[in-house]
Amino acid sequence: MNDTNDTTHGVNLETFEAFAGHAAENPADIQFELEARSTYEGTCAHSLATIDSYALGGETIERDTREYTIPYGGWKEVLDAGGWVGATDRMEPIEVALSALASCINVGITINAIANGVDVEHLRTRVRTDFDPAVLFGLAGLDEADSVFENVEVEIEIDGEGVDEEQIDEWAQRAPVYALVSLAQDVDVTIDAKTPVAADD
């Protein structure tokens, strides 16, 4: 890391402070519209997710170099046991969601550390959960969905000058993905069925 008096952890402090000041005075300029999509690949549980454009302050931002794809699937051993032919190991969506939570907690901590003059020398966040797939496989009703995950545990290893545990806990909770998974969200599902359902005779 090549920090100078004006730069820390790869961020120019003068620009950072100017950005934060502008955001405080013009909150509409920092509102995001985010999306992702996922296309089924023809093998049960396999999908290819795509992330590309987003909107910031009402302006859509898109470029060819911002086209990311993620091949999702499952655990080879589980797929083998379940009858998948030629099963391969792929990133599993739950684990990727856990990694997103861990990474976003790092974001929440480091952004607020910079804003508060705390120098983080080491940071690693580990997230784990216990998962019951009964609802997924239709072995339990949707009314039991709150039992799918028994717990979510977060362990934060951090070292640096001026680190305070209560402050770190608060900064972790400022992470957007933390809010996404821990607070009640309205999920508006729209179904666009291309093939009409045949009417009963």
Side-chain angles (χ1 to χ4, degrees), residues 51-180:
I51 300 169
D52 44 38
S53 64
Y54 68 100
L56 174 60
E59 178 185 350
T60 298
I61 298 171
E62 54 186 338
R63 55 184 174 273
D64 291 342
T65 55
R66 197 179 198 282
E67 294 181 358
Y68 308 112
T69 56
I70 306 171
Y72 282 116
W75 307 279
K76 182 181 186 305
E77 295 78 9
V78 176
L79 300 181
D80 278 337
W84 271 252
V85 178
T88 58
D89 208 71
R90 282 187 169 195
M91 287 184 285
E92 203 287 327
I94 298 169
E95 292 173 315
V96 175
L98 295 177
S99 75
L101 175 57
S103 298
C104 198
I105 286 173
N106 286 353
V107 171
I109 292 172
T110 54
I111 284 180
N112 284 280
I114 290 172
N116 288 273
V118 175
D119 186 19
V120 175
E121 297 174 7
H122 166 77
L123 173 61
R124 179 165 57 197
T125 300
R126 177 176 179 263
V127 180
R128 68 165 305 281
T129 189
D130 295 317
F131 166 55
D132 180 350
V135 172
L136 171 64
F137 289 116
L139 306 175
L142 282 177
D143 58 331
E144 297 183 47
D146 60 356
S147 67
V148 171
F149 298 104
E150 290 296 328
N151 57 340
V152 176
E153 299 173 359
V154 177
E155 297 177 3
I156 300 171
E157 294 178 13
I158 187 166
D159 187 26
E161 188 175 343
V163 169
D164 174 82
E165 288 187 9
E166 289 186 9
Q167 196 173 46
I168 297 302
D169 182 57
E170 177 193 324
W171 293 347
Q173 293 182 55
R174 291 183 180 276
V177 178
Y178 189 106
L180 183 66

Side-chain angles (χ1 to χ4, degrees), residues 2-74:
N2 297 317
D3 286 3
T4 68
N5 291 335
D6 298 326
T7 303
T8 182
H9 293 274
V11 177
N12 180 283
L13 296 179
E14 185 178 346
T15 305
F16 179 85
E17 290 172 3
F19 175 84
H22 177 83
E25 294 177 7
N26 304 276
D29 289 353
I30 60 163
Q31 301 306 305
F32 288 83
E33 293 176 37
L34 308 174
E35 68 174 55
R37 58 190 180 277
S38 192
T39 303
Y40 175 58
E41 294 184 297
T43 295
C44 185
H46 281 202
S47 289
L48 184 67
T50 304
I51 300 169
D52 44 38
S53 64
Y54 68 100
L56 174 60
E59 178 185 350
T60 298
I61 298 171
E62 54 186 338
R63 55 184 174 273
D64 291 342
T65 55
R66 197 179 198 282
E67 294 181 358
Y68 308 112
T69 56
I70 306 171
Y72 282 116

